[in-house]
Amino acid sequence: MDIRRAAALLLALVMIAALTVGCGKKQSDTPADTPAAGADVRTPAQQPAKLVCYNGSVTLRFVREEDTWYWGDDRDFPLEQSIVTELLATVQGYAALSPLPHTDDLSQFGLSDTKRYISLTDTEGNTRTYWLGTQTDEGQYIQPEGETDAVYLSPAGVDGTLSMGIYDMARLPQLPQLTADNVSALTVTAADGKSLSLTASEGVWLRSGQDVTQWSGKLTEALGQLTLLRCIDYRPSTGVAELCGLTEPAVTLTVTYRAIAGETELTLRVGAQRDGGYYATVNDDDTIYLLPAAPAEALAALAANGLNG
């Protein structure tokens, strides 16, 4: 075999290998699924069953069963349905777009060497893949797989969603609105063991049976600010809770309150500081969330100094 034939054979093998590389795991830098081409890339799927998004570094896979979407890597993950359905609606809208004129130079649309794509598969197994180009003020340029000479402009881009990690798509627990009207008992405990314990009756805060409502302003404000900003880590690995200061929380809030389902308990553990907030866990769930700084610091002060904190 001469040198030219050997070089041609080597080049062919490299090209075949490149075409068989797929999309990686959720945090992989290399895509590990190759986008599959469907029978009709321009017909909207009536029954979408799978959505795959690759933003150039991370692949997110979603699957649909009946009317519910799940994260393909873990179906127990509390996926916020509205994020996926909005993304789906945008992708389905691609089928109604008209091609742009003068699209010979794909580089002007960010499509000449893009690796980012979204693919949608229906229940019949038909898959449509859209390559994603530049996001502009007018919209986002896309190119359906198989339409090498056509470029479309979608008025609704998906770049914002694609920049999200899976934890940004988590459905956050809704913390209850806690007041003296629905709380039966409340204890705030600091890491050193200092604590503040109150009960409530008919809208009045009581400490050891004495009305302390007039001094409860900071407590009322802190309870009113309780909310979770985002998910930090779902099913954290061993040692992560300790690193986040949650094995020995800086402050723990334990509340018994009346809800629609009857008397309910809430335990909120607050750990170390991060990004203007504090790590926190809710009840027995080990998922780590971010709690705003204001209520976390107010609760810590109340535990340390009582109602004068």
Side-chain angles (χ1 to χ4, degrees), residues 55-185:
N55 66 6
S57 60
V58 176
T59 305
L60 292 177
R61 303 172 181 84
F62 305 101
V63 294
R64 180 175 178 265
E65 293 181 1
E66 296 183 350
D67 293 327
T68 303
W69 284 94
Y70 298 91
W71 181 30
D73 289 15
D74 187 337
R75 299 195 181 197
D76 292 329
F77 180 79
L79 182 65
E80 177 55 61
Q81 297 293 299
S82 63
I83 294 176
V84 183
T85 54
E86 288 173 12
L87 178 61
L88 174 66
T90 299
V91 177
Q92 288 181 314
Y94 291 165
L97 300 175
S98 299
L100 300 174
H102 311 301
T103 58
D104 293 339
D105 180 11
L106 293 180
S107 63
Q108 64 179 310
F109 307 107
L111 288 163
S112 59
D113 57 358
T114 183
K115 296 179 175 60
R116 303 181 309 139
Y117 69 86
I118 290 181
S119 68
L120 178 62
T121 303
D122 63 22
T123 53
E124 300 298 320
N126 300 308
T127 298
R128 298 186 313 284
T129 297
Y130 299 94
W131 296 101
L132 304 175
T134 303
Q135 174 79 54
T136 70
D137 293 339
E138 290 76 28
Q140 185 162 35
Y141 295 110
I142 65 166
Q143 184 179 58
E145 176 78 13
E147 296 189 31
T148 56
D149 297 326
V151 175
Y152 300 82
L153 178 64
S154 169
V158 298
D159 271 12
T161 304
L162 290 185
S163 65
M164 299 171 68
I166 189 61
Y167 294 159
D168 299 317
M169 300 182 180
R171 183 180 65 253
L172 301 178
Q174 296 297 309
L175 299 182
Q177 293 296 311
L178 301 171
T179 69
D181 292 313
N182 66 354
V183 170
S184 302

Side-chain angles (χ1 to χ4, degrees), residues 199-212:
T199 58
S201 177
E202 298 181 354
V204 175
W205 290 108
L206 303 170
R207 182 175 59 189
S208 301
Q210 294 185 341
D211 185 349
V212 292

